[in-house]
Amino acid sequence: MNDKNNIDILISEVGPRDGLQSVNAAMPTELKKQWLTALADAGLQEIEVGSFVSPKLLPQMADAAELVAHLRQRQDVFVTALVPNLKGAQAAFMAGVQKITMPISVSEPHSLANIRKTHEQVYEEVSSVVALRNERFPHVEIESGLSTVFGCTIQGEVPEYDVIRMALRMVELGVDEVGLADTVGYANPAQVRRLFTRLRSEIGAKAGSAHFHNTRGQGLANVVAALDAGVTIIDASQGGLGGCPYAPGASGNIVTEDLVYLLESMGLRTGVDIDKLVAAREWLKQGLPGEPLYGFIPDAGVGKNFHYAGGAR
Ligand code: ZN
């Protein structure tokens, strides 16, 4: 996808999912649509619009199908959604998503606490989702988002071998991509470089996105380490909104605005216009009044010596 669209790094905007599911207030659907449009207009080429979960569990996500339909009207953005199980996958496929991400905890205690499933039960779920995709929705991509891979609030240490074994299992089960997520903000750059390098050597081009939370301020340092390890897809959230609602104390995704500045400054094309991206925050402020938004670039602006990678836009 990256070459085709004249970019070096694909930023996958997860604010509409990871961000909105972690706040208690529900953003009105019409404002969500305006926000999604503004994000796509800013040049973001992949957006995770929501989560196909029971509205009883997460009422903020009840409009996911409507948001998929809204964004599918345009050709310049890849529409993805989070899906925890077969039922969610079915709904997401029917709604017209182009890719689903299935979160899977490498830490089994976290998996049990989070979705009440053992690893064996998770494997069965993934198999049935892959079977459904293969049979009826062959064009939809499936990514396994391995979570708690850099550590877990329940289990503490998560052995790297467990992460690799799980990634290999996912590939065996037929998923297209395996991403790694620092669900609770425990990762450090040395660990990130090591684990992504190992992942790439084990599953090659099926190694997917890096998902970092900035809970302990290591987010952008971890991004640089992931780049060193050859990662080309990075998740981020506008205003740093988000975090995992099930991991106590975990909050704050890395901020998309700051990530675009980092990457473009380093000479890596993202396709994103920083001014338009910062302007998109207005929809978020309107939709979630009083919700704190993070980021350095929206406050400080870009430096006087800043220029976009590959020339001005
Ligand atoms: Zn997250």
Side-chain angles (χ1 to χ4, degrees), residues 18 211 213 253:
D18 203 334
H211 182 104
H213 289 178
N253 277 274

Side-chain angles (χ1 to χ4, degrees), residues 39-312:
L39 291 170
D41 285 345
L44 286 162
Q45 295 181 17
E46 183 171 301
I47 303 179
E48 192 170 68
V49 301
S51 189
F52 282 83
V53 290
S54 155
K56 264 183 261 160
L57 209 62
L58 285 174
Q60 310 94 305
M61 297 284 116
D63 52 9
E66 199 178 333
L67 299 175
V68 170
H70 171 72
L71 215 49
R72 282 304 311 273
Q73 291 171 34
R74 50 197 296 166
Q75 307 296 317
D76 56 352
V77 60
F78 207 62
V79 181
T80 80
L82 195 96
V83 156
N85 51 32
L86 180 63
K87 198 175 163 200
Q90 199 144 20
F93 293 155
M94 296 295 287
V97 296
Q98 289 158 295
K99 175 180 170 182
I100 60 166
T101 299
M102 296 190 73
I104 291 150
S105 292
V106 174
S107 153
E108 198 158 28
H110 185 267
S111 179
L112 285 165
N114 191 347
I115 55 169
R116 287 185 219 94
K117 282 198 172 88
T118 64
H119 280 160
E120 281 309 319
Q121 290 169 314
V122 169
Y123 299 151
E124 278 171 34
E125 202 79 40
V126 171
S127 294
S128 37
V129 170
V130 170
L132 174 68
R133 186 277 304 269
N134 292 350
E135 197 186 323
R136 292 184 49 208
F137 305 92
H139 301 297
V140 183
E141 289 178 21
I142 301 177
E143 176 179 26
S144 288
L146 302 192
S147 60
T148 63
V149 302
F150 300 100
C152 164
T153 43
I154 305 168
Q155 180 179 318
E157 203 89 34
V158 174
E160 291 182 5
Y161 174 73
D162 288 1
V163 177
I164 298 302
R165 195 175 48 184
M166 176 76 87
L168 288 167
R169 186 72 189 263
M170 287 300 132
V171 170
E172 250 173 51
L173 292 176
V175 309
D176 306 297
E177 249 175 41
V178 181
L180 302 182
D182 182 19
T183 318
V184 293
Y186 279 8
N188 68 70
Q191 192 186 15
V192 167
R193 193 176 292 114
R194 205 166 56 232
L195 199 49
F196 270 104
T197 301
R198 207 169 151 190
L199 180 73
R200 190 158 292 271
S201 78
E202 296 282 351
I203 65 170
K206 291 199 154 104
S209 67
H211 182 104
F212 298 120
H213 289 178
N214 201 33
T215 320
R216 292 175 180 78
Q218 312 301 301
L220 289 186
N222 287 333
V223 167
V224 175
L227 297 173
D228 288 347
V231 172
T232 57
I233 309 172
I234 314 266
D235 292 0
S237 171
Q238 172 140 72
L241 208 63
C244 175
Y246 303 105
S251 66
N253 277 274
I254 59 167
V255 177
T256 312
E257 295 87 323
D258 296 348
L259 176 64
V260 173
Y261 180 77
L262 173 83
L263 295 171
E264 294 282 346
S265 303
M266 290 174 73
L268 297 166
R269 296 166 303 166
T270 65
V272 180
D273 180 293
I274 292 178
D275 292 334
K276 287 185 188 166
L277 182 62
V278 170
R281 288 162 76 99
E282 292 308 314
W283 294 110
L284 199 49
K285 288 180 191 164
Q286 208 178 314
L288 291 176
E291 192 63 35
L293 297 183
Y294 303 97
F296 289 98
I297 293 306
D299 288 338
V302 300
K304 225 173 183 178
N305 63 345
F306 173 80
H307 55 83
Y308 287 99

